Structures are given as C-alpha cells and as structure tokens.
C-alpha cells in the first residue's frame, strides 16, 4: 500500500514537472519580451539562473545528508548524499555551459576568471571529487566518511559563489538582488515559472537517483548474504 | 502509462523548438538587416577606398549570432536532461535484473535446503 502511494507520488511529481517546464517554455518564448541590448541571447537567463539555483539545492542537500550520515550512519542518508551530489554536478555543468554561451555575446569572451565563475568551477570540481570517490562499487565506511567530509568542504564555496558578486569586482551581472530586481515586469512571470519548474525538476531528479541508489544498497546486502551462503562461487 | 510519461520529455523538446522558432526567425531577420548595408559599398572599388577613419561602436563591432548561441544553450540543457533520464533507465534496469537474480538464488537455495515433503 505504502509502495503504491510512493509510486503514485513519483509519477504525479513527474507529470507536474513536465507541466511546469511546458509553462516555463511558453512564458520564455511567447510572453517575455526580447531584451533591448543583448537581444534574443538574453533568454538563456531564464534557464541559466534557475540551473544555478538547482545546483545550490543539490550541493546543500548533499552537504546536509553527509552531516546526517556522519552522525547517524544510516544508509538512507548516504544514498541521498550521493544522489544530490550527482544532480548538483549535472546542474553545475548546465550553468558552466549556458553561461559562457551567453557571455560570448554579452562580454565578447566565452570565459573569464571572474570570482563567481571561478568559485562555481571550484564547487563543481569538489563535488566531482565526491562522486569519483564514491564511484567505486566497493566503497567502505572509510570512503563514505571521507566523501562526506569532502561534501562539507564544498559548502562554504556555495556561500562564496553567492556573495562573490557583492564582495568582489567582476563582470558577472547582478540583475536580481536584495535591493530589488532590475528585470522588466513582463520578464518576471517567465523567471518565476522557470524557478518553479526547476524546483520540481531537481526534486524529481534527486528522488529518481535515490531510488536507484537504495536499490544498489539492497543489492550489495544481498550479495553479502549470497556470498555468505556460498552461492556466488557456484554460479 | 509509463511509456507515455517517458515520452513527455521528448514532446517538451519538440514543443520548445516550435515555440522558439518564430522568435528566432524574427531575431535573425533583425540581425540580417544590419549586414546588408555594408555590401552595397563594395560594388564600386573607388567608393570603398578609405578617405576617413570612423569608429565602430556597439553591435556593428562584431556580428555574434545571438540566436544560434541561445539555441545551442537550450539544446545543451535538454541534452543533459535526456542523458540523465537515459542513465537512470539503464541503471534501474541493471540493478533490478541483478536484484531478481540474487533473490531467486537466495530463495532457491533456501527451499532446496528444506527437507523435501515428497517421499
């Protein structure tokens, strides 16, 4: 009964995510106007910024789940940490590819060692190291704890990414800030729909990955049981 | 039902292409108009000889195809998401198959070790 509810919830989330993405695309291309100075390339903004937000979600969830694993040592938290790290890295890759494509038009260069870009690249590298450490199938408790520590090292970098545009001079724009947005009112619905869609998307992706990771953990337990019974040598 | 839901991301890709193409065509037309004007001066070589220096400013400095960059950016986003979906499907299939094999091995050995009821 509980499993059926979980399955239903999963597919409901999937359907909602697809609907939100469709609404976001409609608002981006049919409602939001073209920006005056940058032209059509500015529309990358509506996926670039929510991708950065989804990257933050992934890395923060990974760090928090790592803390929970270090404290409780429950496999569930380890599965969440691994899943969130992978999703965070995926969205980091999206940010670091869409950003330079936009920058080519806006700044004339694909890349510059701007504080925000550099710190985003650093965070991505830290969590790629986490994934590399956990990618070997036989990760023992020591590897898991070391990886959890690495995830915690990445957490301050996320704060640096966010604060870098305020603290240091760089080229990266701050269109949305605490002083209010520099966004045309007609552009706001597209951005809000994109944020909603990416919130659902990152939740769905983490949930999907956690399901697979929990199945792998169960597989590892069964392998130990089968080896204990001497079944694996015969097959 | 599952196949219908799995086909939704591909339908969304098509949807975004359909929505994006009118906007892209408009942007390309606006960009193309800027390129046509200089071509007329090349027809007369004497007219094209430099007699003064003029500064190049703003968008005239370099024609960077903003529409192409936008399409590539959105294409990459969809490519990453599709890669994730495919990877999850493959992982899930492999793990489920291994789980079934091991469970049948373990349960099969368990029933083999019980004393047979038929004599």
């Amino acid at each position: 009964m509980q499993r059926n509810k979980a399955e239903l919830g999963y597919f409901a989330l999937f359907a909602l995510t697809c609907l939100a993405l469709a609404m976001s695309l409609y608002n981006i291309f049919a409602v939001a106007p073209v920006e005056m100075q940058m032209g059509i390339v500015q529309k990358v903004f509506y996926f670039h910024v929510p991708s950065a937000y989804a990257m933050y979600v992934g890395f923060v969830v990974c760090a928090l789940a790592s803390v929970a694993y270090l404290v409780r040592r429950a496999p569930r938290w380890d599965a969440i940490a691994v899943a969130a790290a992978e999703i965070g890295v995926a969205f980091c890759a999206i940010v670091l590819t869409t950003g330079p494509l936009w920058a080519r038009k806006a700044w004339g260069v694909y890349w510059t060692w701007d504080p925000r870009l550099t710190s985003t690249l650093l965070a991505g590298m830290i969590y790629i190291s986490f994934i590399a450490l956990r990618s070997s199938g036989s990760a023992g408790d020591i590897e898991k704890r070391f990886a959890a520590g690495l995830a915690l090292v990445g957490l301050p970098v996320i704060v640096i990414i966010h604060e870098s545009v305020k603290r240091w001079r760089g080229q990266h724009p701050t269109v949305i800030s605490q002083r209010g947005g520099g966004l045309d009112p007609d552009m706001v619905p597209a951005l809000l729909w994109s944020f909603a869609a990416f919130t659902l998307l990152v939740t769905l992706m983490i949930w999907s990955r956690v399901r697979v990771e929990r199945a792998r953990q169960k597989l590892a337990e069964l392998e130990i049981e089968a080896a204990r019974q001497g079944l694996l040598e015969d097959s | 039902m599952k196949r219908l839901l799995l086909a939704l991301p591909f339908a969304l890709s098509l949807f975004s292409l359909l929505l994006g193409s009118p906007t892209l065509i408009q942007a390309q037309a606006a960009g193309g108009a800027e390129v046509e004007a200089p071509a007329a001066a090349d027809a007369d070589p004497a007219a094209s000889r430099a007699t003064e220096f003029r500064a190049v400013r703003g968008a005239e400095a370099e024609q960077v195809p903003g529409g192409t960059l936008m399409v590539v950016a959105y294409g990459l986003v969809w490519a990453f998401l599709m890669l994730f979906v495919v990877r999850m499907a493959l992982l899930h299939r492999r793990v489920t198959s291994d789980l079934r094999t091991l469970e049948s091995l373990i349960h099969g050995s368990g029933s083999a070790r019980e004393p047979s009821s038929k004599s």
Side-chain angles (χ1 to χ4, degrees), chain A residues 7 11 14-15 17-19 21-23 25-30 34 38 40-47 51 86-87 90-91 93-94 97-98 100-102 104-105 108 110 198 201 204-206 208-209 211-212 215-216 218-219 222-223 225-226 229-232 235, chain B residues 1-2 4-9 12-13 15-17 19-21 23-28 59 62-74 76-78 80-81 84-85 87-89 91-92 94-100 102-103 105-110 113:
Chain A
E7 289 285 327
F11 283 109
F14 184 92
T17 305
C18 290
L19 184 66
L21 279 170
M23 283 302 298
L25 287 167
Y26 171 75
N27 276 275
I28 290 167
F29 290 108
V34 176
M38 279 183 273
I40 198 172
V41 78
Q42 182 269 345
K43 288 189 185 285
V44 172
F45 166 80
Y46 301 108
F47 266 31
S51 296
E86 282 194 18
I87 304 317
F91 281 106
I94 290 174
T97 44
T98 55
L101 287 169
W102 183 9
R104 178 67 182 95
K105 178 74 175 176
Y110 285 107
F198 273 69
L201 184 62
L204 179 69
M205 287 169 81
I206 291 176
S208 306
R209 188 64 186 89
R211 277 156 56 116
V212 172
R216 278 171 118 181
K218 188 178 174 189
L219 182 67
L222 283 177
E223 278 175 349
E225 176 62 24
Q229 291 185 19
L231 296 167
L232 292 180
S235 56
Chain B
M1 179 67 173
K2 269 189 192 181
L4 183 66
L5 288 172
L6 281 169
L8 271 172
L12 272 172
S13 307
F15 183 62
S16 65
L17 272 170
L19 276 178
S21 50
T23 322
L24 184 59
I25 289 165
Q26 276 177 7
Q28 297 284 28
E62 185 178 19
Q63 288 296 326
V64 178
T68 309
L69 290 169
M70 186 205 69
V71 166
V72 171
Y74 274 83
L76 280 169
V77 173
W78 285 114
F80 276 118
L81 294 178
F84 175 82
V85 168
R87 182 170 175 262
M88 283 302 104
L91 259 178
H92 188 261
R94 194 176 71 205
V95 170
T96 312
S97 155
D98 288 347
L99 266 173
R100 245 183 256 130
L102 272 176
E103 277 170 350
L105 260 177
I106 290 169
H107 294 139
S109 78
R113 281 171 194 184

